[in-house]
Amino acid sequence: MKRVFVGLSMVATLALSGCAFPSPVGMLYTDVSLPITATSASGASKEGQATCTSILSLVSTGDCSVETAAKNGKIQSIKSVDSKVFSVLGFYNTYTTIVRGN
């Protein structure tokens, strides 16, 4: 029983440590927009988004790829790619990829 408790404690510590996140993540609440890449921000007339959702870091669904975001915005030529992260207590998380272009 002690081994199970120690194992679960280690998993919880790693899951809540935030070391796997390259972006600023708040323990209670996160709502940030982050740049990923841009060739030219000017002249982008269209925007497409793709979103993934994670619940309790146990179940994740969606497709937040750049390709899907470009398809959703009917974009042929990508000018910039940004990311938006939303999280409440780490229980409910959304990750959105935002593509701008023509």
Side-chain angles (χ1 to χ4, degrees), residues 8-33:
L8 289 175
S9 296
M10 290 175 63
V11 169
T13 300
L14 289 174
L16 296 174
S17 69
C19 61
F21 297 104
S23 60
V25 176
M27 204 72 175
L28 299 176
Y29 178 80
T30 302
D31 188 11
V32 296
S33 295

Side-chain angles (χ1 to χ4, degrees), residues 15-78:
L16 296 174
S17 69
C19 61
F21 297 104
S23 60
V25 176
M27 204 72 175
L28 299 176
Y29 178 80
T30 302
D31 188 11
V32 296
S33 295
L34 306 162
I36 295 176
T37 187
T39 56
S40 172
S42 63
S45 60
K46 297 179 184 177
E47 179 178 294
Q49 297 185 5
T51 302
C52 297
T53 302
S54 172
I55 299 171
L56 294 173
S57 295
L58 297 174
V59 177
S60 297
T61 61
D63 180 357
C64 50
S65 66
V66 171
E67 181 180 356
T68 299
K71 282 182 185 177
N72 290 344
K74 297 181 174 90
I75 297 171
Q76 302 273 330
S77 174
I78 296 172

